[in-house]
Amino acid sequence: MSDVAERVKKIVVEHLGVEESKVTENASFIDDLGADSLDTVELVMAFEEEFGVEIPDDAAEKILTVKDAIEFIEKNSK
Amino acid sequence: MFDLTEKTVLVTGASGGIGAEIAKTLHARGAVVGLSGTRKEALDALAVTLGDRVHVLPCNLGSAEDVEQLIPAATEAMGGIDILVNNAGLTRDGLILRMKDEDWDQVIAVNLSAAFRLCRAVAKPMMKKRAGRIINITSIVGHTGNPGQANYCASKGGMTAMSKSLAQELASRGITVNCVAPGFIETAMTDKLSDDQKAKLNAGIPAGRMGTPEDIAAAVVFLASDESAYITGQTLHVNGGMAMI
């Protein structure tokens, strides 16, 4: 597992208070991990901070799963 | 009770009668206060009377660009914003048949759109902090309407509904959003009324008198305090009983 994936999962575990085993790459924040819409905004904010990337609103809307987040960050972080 | 020591507060419209009193009262409770307004001289004068724990942050709320700068400037000056008081408001009265587009637009821009932008800007840091207070100063006429003030009433009614929406969005993050709705308050505006006019007004107020800026400020202190944590999306009417809604 890549370094980005590790860090993304750590943020998700901390922020949503879910068990690490549930945070699989295909897990949906809302459907599988119990996030509400505000949680997803906060997750995006946390990713931005952790990785120093800017995630525009239209991109943020498409980040629905753990994998989506990892892929976006791997593509866009320096 | 109602201790605000070390809390940081931004008050818009702090050069006006009610805004200045809100700033003074919050300051007296221990808060660090950011004074915003268009009249820098009045803000500076108020800052001098308050002494320490004060920052002057002039801003023209009619300009969207200026508004965008205010929260970053206040955050830098005070290290954060725990409490936002959207108090600034202006009137451009006229019957609807005579009301110009610019009278409508200006009132909506300053009273409602600026408040929206400031709420949006503080929401993020407050969410992160899991705490915050937003207090919007509305008006009784935002609930009852008032002839000659379609623009003002719409802006205040809009603010009330916006506050309820934000309250629902942000409640789970420890942020409360409430309104204080003054009735008739003694200010420079009401000083111009004749004794006869005042007597007529007072006859419609069960308390038999106009309110004072202190009456409004006391309600703001309560809603700004930790003790009001379970109150959100509400309007506290401060009007001597002239409307019970």
Side-chain angles (χ1 to χ4, degrees):
Chain A
M1 197 162 41
S2 72
D3 170 53
V4 169
E6 284 280 3
R7 284 154 74 195
V8 164
K9 286 184 184 179
K10 188 162 172 278
I11 289 172
V12 174
V13 167
E14 276 172 12
H15 190 86
L16 299 179
V18 289
E19 280 172 37
E20 212 176 324
S21 61
K22 284 193 174 169
V23 187
T24 61
E25 298 224 340
N26 290 320
S28 153
F29 297 125
I30 292 177
D31 297 333
D32 301 320
L33 302 175
D36 63 17
S37 55
L38 208 52
D39 287 321
T40 62
V41 175
E42 286 186 322
L43 278 173
V44 166
M45 279 157 49
F47 296 147
E48 287 181 326
E49 207 160 283
E50 171 77 17
F51 297 100
V53 287
E54 179 111 355
I55 306 179
D57 288 347
D58 54 346
E61 278 168 23
K62 292 185 192 120
I63 298 178
L64 304 174
T65 66
V66 176
K67 195 177 167 191
D68 294 338
I70 295 168
E71 283 178 355
F72 180 90
I73 293 160
E74 283 184 336
K75 252 185 231 162
N76 294 282
S77 66
K78 305 145 237 172
Chain B
M1 291 268 272
F2 315 133
D3 179 28
L4 299 176
T5 304
E6 288 180 9
K7 300 274 189 193
T8 51
V9 186
L10 175 64
V11 181
T12 68
S15 50
I18 293 176
E21 191 57 40
I22 289 171
K24 267 187 225 167
T25 310
L26 294 170
H27 184 266
R29 289 274 157 187
V32 177
V33 181
L35 307 172
S36 188
T38 42
R39 288 178 289 140
K40 187 168 183 305
E41 281 164 28
L43 297 176
D44 284 336
L46 177 60
V48 168
T49 64
L50 295 181
D52 58 353
R53 294 184 278 117
V54 184
H55 301 271
V56 173
L57 303 154
C59 179
N60 171 16
L61 293 183
S63 149
E65 284 161 20
D66 272 29
V67 175
E68 298 293 343
Q69 302 298 320
L70 181 56
I71 297 297
T75 304
E76 199 184 322
M78 301 190 290
I81 301 173
D82 297 313
I83 301 157
L84 169 66
V85 183
N86 281 308
N87 165 72
L90 52 80
T91 56
R92 291 286 179 271
D93 295 352
L95 296 173
I96 191 144
L97 296 172
R98 299 244 167 88
M99 189 174 285
K100 296 189 181 80
D101 280 5
E102 61 192 66
D103 295 332
W104 174 271
D105 291 341
Q106 195 180 8
V107 168
I108 297 295
V110 171
N111 298 11
L112 183 57
S113 303
F116 153 69
R117 292 191 176 97
L118 296 176
C119 288
R120 182 176 59 185
V122 294
K124 201 170 175 177
M126 284 181 177
M127 268 168 62
K128 274 195 185 165
K129 220 173 162 184
R130 292 287 190 270
R133 294 279 183 272
I134 296 175
I135 300 155
N136 292 325
I137 307 302
T138 57
S139 170
I140 179 60
V141 301
H143 296 257
T144 61
N146 199 28
Q149 291 196 307
N151 47 4
Y152 184 77
C153 296
S155 73
K156 294 301 187 180
M159 215 178 184
T160 307
M162 177 179 76
S163 304
K164 291 179 184 178
S165 303
L166 301 187
Q168 292 178 41
E169 289 183 24
L170 302 173
S172 64
R173 299 303 186 269
I175 303 165
T176 69
V177 186
N178 291 291
C179 299
V180 172
F184 280 109
I185 304 299
E186 288 169 3
T187 61
M189 206 159 52
T190 52
D191 280 349
K192 289 180 213 152
L193 300 173
S194 69
D195 285 351
D196 194 38
Q197 283 173 313
K198 282 184 190 166
K200 271 188 194 151
L201 276 178
N202 289 344
I205 304 172
R209 66 167 177 91
M210 276 193 236
T212 63
E214 287 84 350
D215 292 324
I216 304 306
V220 173
V221 165
F222 171 58
L223 292 174
S225 70
D226 289 343
E227 283 80 0
S228 67
Y230 200 53
I231 299 172
T232 193
Q234 306 299 319
T235 292
L236 193 44
H237 288 278
V238 183
N239 61 27
M242 70 176 277
M244 302 183 186
I245 41 185

